[in-house]
Amino acid sequence: MTRPLTPANKTQGRINWTWQDALLILAIVSLIVAIVRTASQFRGAFNPEFTISTDISALPGYTALTLLRMGLAYFFSLGFTLIYAYSAYRSRMAERILIPLLDILQSIPVLSFLPGVVLALLSLFPGRRIGVEIASVLLIFTGMTWNMTFSFYQSLCSIPQELLEASRVYRLNLWQRFWTLELPSGVIGLVWNSVMSVAGGWFFLIAIESFTLGNKDFRLPGLGSFLGTAANKGDFKAILWGSAVLIAVIVAIDYFVWRPLIAWAEKFKLEMVESENVPESWVLDVLRRSPSLRILSDRIFHPLQRVLDDSLVRSFPVRSAPVNAKGDLHLPGLLNWVFVSGFTLIVLWGTWEALLLLRTLGWADWQQVIKGAVFTALRVIVALLLSLLWTVPVGVAIGRNPRLARVLQPLVQIAASYPATALFPVLLLALSRMAGGLEIGSVALMMLGTMWYILFNVIAGAQSIPSDLMEAAWVYKLTLVQRWRILILPAIFPYLITGIITAVGGAWNASIVSEYVTFQGQVRTAEGLGATISHATATGNFSLLLAATTVMSLLVVTTNRLVWRPLYKLAQDKYQLLI
């Protein structure tokens, strides 16, 4: 169990350097050098005839390139999450536009972004690899950011009213309220959804690092393209080595990044009684006791933080603090008008261009899209129901039992992060022997892209249940069924709905790689909207791609508006934690 830093064990007075400090400094310097050297490769010329090597010696360099893309995409996702969700929370005008827009954005499959993003960036950087690299980072970003944004917005809307009232009593200004109340309220959800976001980035890695657009191939050296090339060749030795490296990377990230963050986030839990079993991290203990980090913190970071705090406190006087529970931030009338009119012009221009492109489609194309939407919708429903059956009990078990979490968390992250398309050679051999083949087997493939969103949100919800409420359940001798009905399900309900919203979007997105599979030069498909999108992307049929993407987005948004949003509102109104 992690011990508090009392004067008895806290490094004070004389600096006692240890081997951990030397190792920490060496690791930081090595990481900076590796990032700089890897980033320097992004500036090279782009070679469309580039061949991905499946030789084992290429794995270290490919892995470094993939990690850099993933890291950049994650930090962009985190910044976008904080700004976007906070804007929607603080301004009712922004909320009416940003939240429906978020539904639309998270419903658009990754492959639908490919043509526009890649062609636009290639025109900005003709003949340069940096254009394709930026495109790949942006596409990984689109697979990461939506569930983080939904989670942070849900956390902000679920802040107990008593704490909001206290912030007004103590006259906290805009910055103080964000830093001391609003940001801490979303830390646990952000950490667990960050785990899921990175896993989602790994899931689509093969499709992002190696894809076809019309008659052109776009390949980037990386771990995803290595696995994709090996799977397409049926090179099981290369698949095994690539999988081993991927698993090792996931385990290392879990040990050095996610476990310390999960243990650190425990201090933001709202509870009156300290939990007996808390997440532990040896890495976090080393960082907390490091003399070198303490010197940097005392002499650099703390003074900079005080200067930043003072300047922001002066920039946002107390009168700018909100006056209602929602935290509505009233923007100037001119700014509101510019925002709304600019957004309206963009929507009208995009709609006109889309109509011009859709005019070229015939009735047979629309029949294909509508029929495919029905088949994919049925698979999404089945995948969601099957996912709920096991993710809720397992997520609660992991979230409430740190010892179990230490064992299962790395395994869950490996399973969630592993690109399903790399498993297709093995899965296709099994599916070919099933009745229905890929038509039914695509549901199993689709579950690999949807169930993890529910699981990680349920884990975050279970972990955020105050320990004193669990103690009260034991004191009153509630049965297992009563604990689930009275405490656990109401407590995790907001997180569960957030997970379902992102899981449904993830299931529709996963259909593009589940219903259209390339294996050893042969294409195998299952009738559905995902297969239509993949085929349209591969052949460069932009009109059909736009039609299928539009129908998919409308289905996701309509479901969110009519089903999940009312449940989301119920979660905010009825199942908000009161202290």
Side-chain angles (χ1 to χ4, degrees):
M1 181 175 178
T2 306
R3 296 181 300 165
L5 291 182
T6 59
N9 61 16
K10 185 176 180 180
T11 306
Q12 292 182 346
R14 185 173 59 88
I15 303 301
N16 298 315
W17 299 99
T18 63
W19 65 270
Q20 289 100 331
D21 283 280
L23 186 62
L24 179 63
I25 294 173
L26 180 63
I28 293 174
V29 173
S30 301
L31 180 63
I32 294 174
V33 171
I35 291 174
V36 172
R37 291 190 59 182
T38 304
S40 65
Q41 301 182 39
F42 284 16
R43 299 195 305 269
F46 176 67
N47 180 15
E49 304 298 327
F50 178 77
T51 302
I52 301 297
S53 173
T54 55
D55 191 83
I56 310 303
S57 60
L59 272 175
Y62 285 1
T63 303
L65 288 168
T66 294
L67 284 175
L68 183 57
R69 296 183 193 113
M70 295 283 288
L72 289 173
Y74 173 75
F75 284 110
F76 285 140
S77 299
L78 183 60
F80 176 88
T81 292
L82 296 177
I83 296 172
Y84 196 101
Y86 189 71
S87 300
Y89 167 70
R90 295 307 302 271
S91 172
R92 295 189 188 276
M93 174 66 74
E95 181 186 35
R96 295 189 185 101
I97 297 176
L98 295 181
I99 298 304
L101 181 61
L102 188 63
D103 282 338
I104 297 172
L105 290 173
Q106 68 103 17
S107 68
I108 301 177
V110 172
L111 285 185
S112 297
F113 282 104
L114 277 174
V117 171
V118 172
L119 295 178
L121 288 170
L122 284 179
S123 63
L124 287 176
F125 303 95
R128 307 298 296 175
R129 179 173 152 187
I130 185 66
V132 185
E133 291 287 359
I134 295 175
S136 67
V137 171
L138 288 176
L139 292 169
I140 297 173
F141 163 86
T142 63
M144 284 186 175
T145 191
W146 314 129
N147 61 300
M148 293 173 61
T149 306
F150 273 121
S151 171
F152 189 52
Y153 177 73
Q154 174 259 320
S155 298
L156 291 174
C157 294
S158 301
I159 297 176
Q161 293 296 326
E162 292 84 354
L163 295 182
L164 296 174
E165 193 67 36
S167 69
R168 289 191 290 273
V169 171
Y170 284 99
R171 296 179 60 79
L172 301 184
N173 73 348
L174 203 65
W175 166 251
Q176 291 169 324
R177 176 168 164 166
F178 172 77
W179 188 248
T180 61
L181 174 60
E182 292 162 342
L183 182 60
S185 71
V187 166
I188 293 178
L190 270 179
V191 169
W192 282 104
N193 276 277
S194 295
V195 178
M196 182 61 246
S197 292
V198 174
W202 289 112
F203 184 87
F204 285 104
L205 196 61
I206 291 177
I208 290 171
E209 289 186 344
S210 180
F211 58 91
T212 302
L213 183 58
N215 57 355
K216 296 182 179 179
D217 289 334
F218 295 91
R219 299 186 184 92
L220 289 172
L223 189 54
S225 56
F226 178 93
L227 285 169
T229 303
N232 192 42
K233 291 180 178 179
D235 189 344
F236 291 96
K237 179 182 177 181
I239 292 175
L240 182 62
W241 275 102
S243 301
V245 171
L246 176 58
I247 292 172
V249 168
I250 294 170
V251 172
I253 292 175
D254 170 70
Y255 189 79
F256 291 104
V257 179
W258 301 132
R259 286 196 184 188
L261 284 175
I262 291 170
W264 170 78
E266 184 73 10
K267 67 180 183 178
F268 297 105
K269 182 188 294 186
L270 293 174
E271 58 183 7
M272 302 297 292
V273 178
E274 184 177 359
S275 177
E276 294 182 0
N277 296 316
V278 296
E280 298 178 2
S281 170
W282 176 82
V283 175
L284 183 62
D285 290 342
V286 170
L287 293 177
R288 283 172 169 168
R289 294 175 171 84
S290 169
S292 55
L293 289 184
R294 182 169 64 85
I295 292 175
L296 289 175
S297 178
D298 292 343
R299 298 182 181 178
I300 299 178
F301 295 133
H302 283 171
L304 287 176
Q305 182 181 350
R306 284 194 295 269
V307 171
L308 178 63
D309 284 342
D310 292 341
S311 62
L312 289 173
V313 167
R314 289 192 298 268
S315 301
F316 298 102
V318 176
R319 66 175 179 272
S320 67
V323 295
N324 56 25
K326 163 71 178 167
D328 193 18
L329 183 61
H330 296 285
L331 300 176
L334 178 61
L335 188 57
N336 266 333
W337 183 87
V338 172
F339 179 76
V340 174
S341 59
F343 181 79
T344 303
L345 287 175
I346 293 174
V347 171
L348 291 176
W349 173 79
T351 303
W352 175 252
E353 293 294 330
L355 290 175
L356 292 178
L357 195 58
L358 293 176
R359 287 177 56 192
T360 60
L361 292 179
W363 174 240
D365 295 321
W366 284 108
Q367 282 183 312
Q368 176 187 352
V369 170
I370 294 171
K371 188 177 179 181
V374 173
F375 281 104
T376 302
L378 292 175
R379 295 189 185 102
V380 168
I381 294 172
V382 174
L384 179 63
L385 293 176
L386 293 177
S387 299
L388 285 171
L389 286 177
W390 78 271
T391 54
V392 173
V394 171
V396 170
I398 295 176
R400 295 308 309 166
N401 191 331
R403 294 180 181 177
L404 183 64
R406 283 195 294 271
V407 177
L408 293 184
Q409 181 186 321
L411 299 179
V412 169
Q413 286 184 43
I414 292 171
S417 304
Y418 193 84
T421 44
L423 294 174
F424 282 173
V426 178
L427 293 175
L428 283 174
L429 293 176
L431 293 174
S432 62
R433 299 182 176 91
M434 289 176 53
L438 195 61
E439 295 285 347
I440 297 177
S442 58
V443 174
L445 302 177
M446 197 179 293
M447 286 180 63
L448 296 175
T450 185
M451 56 191 181
W452 310 115
Y453 292 101
I454 303 174
L455 179 64
F456 282 99
N457 275 280
V458 171
I459 292 174
Q463 189 182 20
S464 66
I465 300 176
S467 299
D468 44 333
L469 294 183
M470 296 299 296
E471 290 287 340
W474 284 106
V475 169
Y476 285 100
K477 297 181 180 180
L478 299 183
T479 65
L480 180 62
V481 174
Q482 289 174 325
R483 285 202 303 272
W484 273 86
R485 181 174 59 85
I486 298 174
L487 175 58
I488 296 176
L489 284 178
I492 68 171
F493 188 72
Y495 295 86
L496 181 62
I497 297 301
T498 300
I500 290 176
I501 291 174
T502 52
V504 170
W508 285 98
N509 273 283
S511 68
I512 64 178
V513 294
S514 303
E515 296 175 348
Y516 187 94
V517 180
T518 302
F519 177 51
Q520 293 184 339
Q522 296 182 351
V523 177
R524 304 188 183 188
T525 64
E527 189 169 5
L529 202 56
T532 302
I533 290 175
S534 297
H535 178 72
T537 302
T539 58
N541 190 341
F542 299 125
S543 298
L544 184 60
L545 175 63
L546 176 60
T549 301
T550 302
V551 170
M552 181 178 287
S553 298
L554 288 175
L555 287 172
V556 175
V557 173
T558 302
T559 305
N560 286 349
R561 293 288 103 186
L562 299 181
V563 180
W564 307 125
R565 283 298 160 190
L567 292 176
Y568 195 81
K569 186 68 166 56
L570 177 65
Q572 294 177 14
D573 296 339
K574 186 175 180 180
Y575 297 110
Q576 188 180 46
L577 179 65
L578 300 177
I579 60 173

